[in-house]
Amino acid sequence: MTQAKHDLVVIGSGPGGYVAAIRAAQLGMNVGCVENEPALGGTCLRVGCIPSKALLESSERYHEAKETLAPHGVRVASVSLDLPTMLKRKDEIVRGLTGGVDMLFKKNKVARYLGRGKIAGPGRVVVEGGAEPATLEAKHVLIATGSKSASLPGVALDGDRVATSTEALAYPEVPGHLAVIGAGYIGLEMGSVWLRLGAKVTVIEYLDRVLPGMDAEIATEALRLFKRQGMEFRLGQKVTGARAEGKGAIVACEGQEPLRADRVLLAVGRVPNTEGLGVESVGITPDEKGRIPVDEHYRTSAEGVFAIGDVIGGAMLAHKASEEGVACVEWIATGYGHVNYNAIPGVVYTQPEIASVGRTEEELTAEGRAFRKGVFFFRGIGRSRALGQIDGRVKILADQATDRLLGVHIIGARAGDLIAEAVAAMEFGASSEDIARICHAHPTLAEAVKEAALAVDGRPIHA
Ligand SMILES: Cc1cc2nc3c(=O)[nH]c(=O)nc-3n(C[C@H](O)[C@H](O)[C@H](O)COP(=O)(O)OP(=O)(O)OC[C@H]3O[C@@H](n4cnc5c(N)ncnc54)[C@H](O)[C@@H]3O)c2cc1C
């Protein structure tokens, strides 16, 4: 039995936990991190952001080689899919990055404990089920146990034909027909991967729109573009069950014919991971959604116990978890630490990409806030023409009276990179006029951001 004392014990090594552990070590704390998976990096590195983006990239290359190179004058005689190599590349990227976190832990002298961490009373964490049990004493405990796929009543997950995004990252063959339950970003990203590789993809969504929570104008355009790519949608339909049947699966929808598919991907969101964590031993009660309640400094109701990332409220995003991890341990060490939740970007890595920061038009309308809106379409940008990707738009929402940026929403090529300018501008409290007056290199896609800012004031040049 290992016994050790730490200033901080972090439970979970996702982008919240591992970043917090490293920052705390930089600040001079003696840190231990408990992770029950053999690989560090959490959902994000192992079965989330990274492997999904690796497959999105590879499937896009395949699709490009097959469909979009000819107009560039590039003739490709025959293109074929080597799925095992594509999956192996993804696994190697994951291995490299998770191994990188191991190295960072060693460099920063973060002690790593393999096993399930359980809070066993004030200042005490026990590690079970790993190579060696351990009892850790800690001045501070940080819960960063993340989230897991949400279930849906009647949907019988079998880890094969009816499964979650984790399995969809490693289907051994391209499904003939993939049914995706849920039109959020995970369903649309994974649906895009398999669509590009040749599957028929049907997305079933309870709401009458895709990408709930995103700006409706942008989501409507996204739906149009996904349909144009051949993705099929059943919106406004309630899934009442799904199960494996023979070599395929069947999805039951209220008042509709059941849908037969080769595989079913359940992607209806994620729920916090608190099972077996022992939070009750220090008097913490998760809320009705299973989240751990915290205050603005990520303090739980238990003295010395903090929580960050997917396990608390807010957007379930890797960079949000990391920012909270840093703010939390900086607050512990220095008394300062802050996250600006108005400037957390969200990106959907489909083709085209979709990115946003700040308020949506619907939110501003609901709040009764007076705003001005500028929209500019990528088809008016020289670089978009050169790229051969002219779909999409930039939409900027600015305060009616002060012109301060309230929200920026982009659908179009490389939107995920373009949003960084808007995030920086919002962090600096910029106005749309500030963006309009910044010199943007020509020819770049970023010129569409400038033009949208000009459009807020009714003076775009290329529209
Ligand atoms: C398919 C998919 C794609 C995604 N793509 C993106 C994206 O592109 N961009 C983005 O920002 N976000 C993306 N996400 C979301 C992102 O992965 C999460 O928001 C992020 O990982 C949350 O970080 P976290 O540190 O809070 O928790 P996690 O990354 O979930 O890490 C928690 C860790 O804690 C461990 N753990 C849990 N309980 C215990 C315990 N009792 N003891 C020890 N260890 C424990 C878990 O094994 C896990 O490793 C994606 C998610 C999925 C599923």
Side-chain angles (χ1 to χ4, degrees):
M1 161 81 80
T2 303
Q3 292 203 321
K5 272 189 182 174
H6 291 285
D7 296 322
L8 173 72
V9 167
V10 182
I11 309 178
S13 73
Y18 89 74
V19 170
I22 292 171
R23 182 71 190 118
Q26 286 175 346
L27 288 162
M29 290 187 226
N30 168 353
V31 186
C33 181
V34 187
E35 169 59 60
N36 64 310
E37 291 286 338
L40 298 172
T43 304
C44 171
L45 267 60
R46 284 186 298 103
V47 291
C49 324
I50 298 301
S52 61
K53 267 79 258 180
L55 286 185
L56 279 157
E57 195 61 41
S58 296
S59 60
E60 183 56 23
R61 296 287 168 88
Y62 173 67
H63 176 258
E64 244 171 49
K66 263 183 74 176
E67 310 283 344
T68 63
L69 288 181
H72 289 268
V74 180
R75 294 221 187 128
V76 184
S78 92
V79 179
S80 59
L81 176 65
D82 177 358
L83 185 60
T85 298
M86 197 178 277
L87 296 176
K88 189 164 148 254
R89 174 184 179 273
K90 171 212 57 167
D91 293 339
E92 279 164 6
I93 292 168
V94 168
R95 204 171 306 122
L97 287 172
T98 55
V101 178
D102 258 318
M103 279 168 38
L104 290 172
F105 271 12
K106 283 190 188 115
K107 184 180 153 201
N108 288 282
K109 300 192 172 43
V110 174
R112 194 250 150 113
Y113 298 94
L114 174 62
R116 276 203 85 71
K118 184 174 175 188
I119 300 176
R124 228 171 113 86
V125 174
V126 294
V127 185
E128 301 165 340
E132 199 187 338
T135 300
L136 311 176
E137 272 181 51
K139 263 192 236 155
H140 305 101
V141 175
L142 175 55
I143 301 171
T145 49
S147 63
K148 56 186 179 193
S149 290
S151 54
L152 193 66
V155 174
L157 295 172
D158 72 345
D160 180 22
R161 295 287 148 185
V162 184
T164 67
S165 58
T166 299
E167 291 80 12
L169 289 164
Y171 291 152
E173 79 292 311
V174 179
H177 185 186
L178 172 64
V180 179
I181 306 175
Y185 80 91
I186 293 178
L188 292 172
E189 286 184 0
M190 295 315 302
S192 293
V193 165
W194 295 105
L195 179 78
R196 293 169 192 166
L197 298 181
K200 171 180 163 153
V201 174
T202 307
V203 180
I204 312 163
E205 166 61 51
Y206 178 67
L207 300 173
D208 59 0
R209 57 165 289 176
V210 299
L211 295 170
M214 279 229 162
D215 188 272
E217 178 180 336
I218 301 290
T220 303
E221 175 147 14
L223 177 63
R224 183 180 68 79
L225 295 173
F226 293 142
K227 280 184 178 167
R228 199 176 73 190
Q229 290 164 14
M231 205 178 266
E232 293 180 11
F233 288 87
R234 288 187 174 199
L235 299 181
Q237 290 199 9
K238 182 176 177 186
V239 169
T240 52
R243 61 185 157 80
E245 196 182 71
K247 287 194 171 148
I250 188 155
V251 185
C253 299
E254 199 171 78
Q256 303 286 330
E257 282 292 294
L259 183 81
R260 285 180 190 282
D262 296 286
R263 289 185 181 275
V264 176
L265 160 58
L266 178 67
V268 290
R270 297 182 60 81
V271 289
N273 235 340
T274 54
E275 217 180 289
L277 192 57
V279 287
E280 60 293 338
S281 72
V282 285
I284 298 172
T285 311
D287 71 11
E288 72 292 348
K289 291 191 171 156
R291 299 172 300 203
I292 296 188
V294 291
D295 69 6
E296 71 276 23
H297 300 304
Y298 309 102
R299 286 180 295 196
T300 66
S301 56
E303 178 77 28
V305 181
F306 299 75
I308 54 152
D310 280 10
V311 80
I312 66 169
M316 288 188 169
L317 292 170
H319 41 282
K320 177 248 186 202
S322 299
E323 292 297 323
E324 289 176 345
V326 169
C328 175
V329 299
E330 287 186 348
W331 186 83
I332 292 173
T334 69
Y336 301 99
H338 173 70
V339 175
N340 177 2
Y341 287 98
N342 285 323
I344 305 261
V347 180
V348 186
Y349 297 83
T350 46
Q351 180 62 265
E353 290 182 353
I354 305 160
S356 70
V357 60
R359 299 282 216 284
T360 64
E361 193 170 337
E362 296 69 49
E363 283 168 345
L364 293 176
T365 306
E367 286 165 18
R369 184 127 182 211
F371 63 91
R372 291 196 299 165
K373 163 175 160 180
V375 174
F376 191 82
F377 292 87
F378 280 103
R379 62 174 177 262
I381 294 292
R383 187 65 189 278
S384 304
R385 300 262 168 187
L387 266 178
Q389 294 183 35
I390 60 166
D391 291 320
R393 68 187 71 179
V394 178
K395 168 170 168 176
I396 293 185
L397 304 168
D399 187 90
Q400 173 92 51
T402 65
D403 193 35
R404 198 174 173 136
L405 291 174
L406 300 175
V408 178
H409 307 278
I410 308 177
I411 177 166
R414 299 175 197 170
D417 295 315
L418 295 175
I419 202 70
E421 176 183 5
V423 177
M426 286 182 68
E427 276 286 4
F428 283 89
S431 62
S432 80
E433 186 65 18
D434 288 325
I435 294 201
R437 287 183 180 273
I438 291 172
C439 178
H440 289 68
H442 176 75
T444 59
L445 297 172
E447 288 173 286
V449 179
K450 178 182 172 100
E451 288 275 10
L454 286 164
V456 171
D457 192 41
R459 52 181 224 271
I461 301 293
H462 295 91

